[in-house]
Amino acid sequence: MKLPIKPFPVSIVQCRGTPYEVGRAQARLFAATPKGRAFLRRKTRFPWWFKLGTEQRMFARFAPVLWEELAGLADELGIAMERAVYWFGNEGMRPPIGACSAVMSANVYGRNYDFRPRYYGAQFALLQASGSYASIGSTHLLTGRLDGMNEHGLTIGLHQVKKRPRFPGLSADLIVRMVLDQCATTVDATALLRGLPHAMQYNYSLLDANGVAAIVEASPGAVAVRTGGWLACTNHFLSPLLRPLNRHRAATHSQARLPPLEAWASGGLSAERMFTALNRSTSPAFHHGYVGGVGTLHTIVGEPAKKRLLIGIGGDAAALEEDMLDVSFDRWLAGEDLQVTRLHGQLGGMAKPFEWPVRRGRKKA
């Protein structure tokens, strides 16, 4: 008899207070998870190049509030600050390899995050910390963000172009978090992204509450910005300045995903229709390579002007009897907490259901 496939769980974390208190609250929740318990059992060997003082100076310059959050994480987990900064700070973040897609029109931002389940943070965090803008987003190593929306409606996602080489500078996960924490508009975000030292080659897709969209193509030493009434973004550079840096094989796959995304962007789809277009398991933007390549792990669709965010895990989230979270961020900012602590979804959706972790077949007697 074929066993039923278990839904894929993603946790929802909600924290308010000072950055230090937010760090402690996240650490308490993390310590109660299997990943957290495994982390606390492990011993850390620091590479020769890791210097706590260098990290502290970097945070003091670019993200001082996040240093306080890291201090709260360290104290609550009962670990040295050095270990907390190494694992949850800039240098510990080796950004995920994703084949992510995004669509931006005047009113709607839509995005699929595609990667391997093994390396997925499987958590969305709603944070309201003093000294920075409140935000909701998918997390990477607690402090990093893969995508999200802040209290001004500014919405952002990252798209990897190249994994290597990596240069001295800021990791993409931390950069997304900084944009959410510090920027109110697309203009603010592009100005910040132009001035940061980028460690790797990434695209950043942006849409704000005024309907201003942009794609920032960033590489160590060079940044290009594309704007327009509607935009689509995948995992290659389009600007003449940075196009020579594309990996040919990866860029070919990335380019093949653009036409349907551009059609949806130019069509001005509603949030609900955009969610279906991206999240249906037969969509040209949906990926099924969960083991050998990348698979679609979550879909977010935002309406920045309304501060509304739709979140679905896996595929066909609006059609299956799983959760599709409809968040009114304004209500959350007013103090109304979400009544859910976990989302569930079906990896692969209805077309090719996939279960993680993969079940091992029983040995024959």
Side-chain angles (χ1 to χ4, degrees):
M1 184 178 72
K2 190 175 181 180
L3 297 175
I5 293 177
K6 293 181 181 178
F8 187 76
V10 170
S11 60
I12 303 293
V13 171
Q14 304 176 74
C15 304
R16 307 175 195 268
T18 66
Y20 179 82
E21 291 167 343
V22 163
R24 296 201 70 150
Q26 290 184 91
R28 279 194 297 274
L29 295 166
F30 176 65
T33 66
K35 285 183 180 180
R37 291 190 291 269
F39 169 79
L40 291 172
R41 287 195 300 267
R42 284 199 304 266
K43 291 184 178 180
T44 297
R45 293 183 179 180
F46 299 100
W48 64 269
W49 46 261
F50 178 77
K51 306 294 182 185
L52 183 62
T54 302
E55 286 280 289
Q56 186 170 10
R57 286 191 293 274
M58 184 279 298
F59 275 96
R61 180 180 177 187
F62 295 109
V65 171
L66 274 176
W67 187 259
E68 299 176 47
E69 188 174 311
L70 286 166
L73 283 167
D75 287 351
E76 186 64 32
L77 292 173
I79 60 176
M81 187 66 174
E82 185 178 25
R83 187 180 179 196
V85 173
Y86 175 67
W87 281 105
F88 306 113
N90 179 58
E91 289 296 348
M93 292 182 178
R94 292 298 183 265
I97 307 165
C100 311
S101 304
V103 178
M104 291 141 282
S105 64
N107 303 307
V108 174
Y109 175 98
R111 164 186 170 68
N112 278 356
Y113 177 69
D114 310 317
F115 195 41
R116 299 179 185 176
R118 181 186 298 275
Y119 305 109
Y120 184 44
Q123 175 180 282
F124 276 79
L126 294 90
L127 301 186
Q128 192 173 35
S130 54
S132 55
Y133 297 137
S135 65
I136 173 174
S138 56
T139 70
H140 179 61
L141 297 177
L142 300 184
T143 54
R145 294 293 181 272
L146 306 172
D147 44 44
M149 173 188 287
N150 71 13
E151 65 181 79
H152 294 282
L154 179 64
T155 308
I156 181 173
L158 56 75
H159 311 256
Q160 188 182 69
V161 176
K162 265 188 181 178
K163 181 180 180 181
R164 296 185 179 88
R166 179 187 171 92
F167 293 87
L170 297 170
S171 291
D173 311 58
L174 183 62
I175 288 172
V176 171
R177 175 68 187 276
M178 290 169 59
V179 168
L180 292 171
D181 284 356
Q182 301 175 26
C183 301
T185 66
T186 296
V187 172
D188 294 343
T190 53
L192 177 65
L193 289 165
R194 284 185 184 277
L196 295 177
H198 295 270
M200 298 170 69
Q201 297 170 17
Y202 268 79
N203 287 326
Y204 299 89
S205 51
L206 294 153
L207 182 67
D208 66 16
N210 298 316
V212 178
I215 295 169
V216 177
E217 301 181 354
S219 179
V223 173
V225 178
R226 294 192 288 118
T227 59
W230 55 264
L231 294 166
C233 182
T234 52
N235 299 93
H236 63 285
F237 294 138
L238 289 177
S239 66
L241 175 65
L242 296 177
R243 194 181 300 153
L245 298 176
N246 289 329
R247 292 182 299 157
H248 175 70
R249 186 175 176 182
T252 300
H253 180 263
S254 180
Q255 289 161 0
R257 302 201 314 273
L258 264 184
L261 299 172
E262 290 176 336
W264 299 334
S266 63
L269 301 183
S270 66
E272 289 77 9
R273 288 181 64 198
M274 185 69 77
F275 188 91
T276 300
L278 288 165
N279 189 249
R280 72 178 189 273
S281 56
T282 56
S283 167
F286 194 95
H287 292 270
H288 293 274
Y290 293 100
V291 176
V294 292
T296 298
L297 296 171
H298 73 245
T299 300
I300 65 168
V301 171
E303 292 183 281
K306 297 180 180 179
K307 299 186 184 65
R308 180 194 183 204
L309 196 67
L310 303 177
I311 304 170
I313 307 304
D316 302 311
L320 291 167
E321 292 183 1
E322 305 294 351
D323 301 330
M324 183 187 72
L325 191 62
D326 189 341
V327 180
S328 170
F329 201 46
D330 263 344
R331 289 167 62 180
W332 190 85
L333 291 168
E336 184 179 326
D337 282 349
L338 301 183
Q339 299 304 303
V340 295
T341 58
R342 181 168 289 195
L343 288 177
H344 293 88
Q346 177 58 65
L347 298 185
M350 294 183 286
K352 296 179 182 178
F354 177 83
E355 182 173 356
W356 184 264
V358 177
R359 282 178 174 160
R360 295 180 179 180
R362 292 183 179 178
K363 294 182 179 179
K364 294 182 179 179

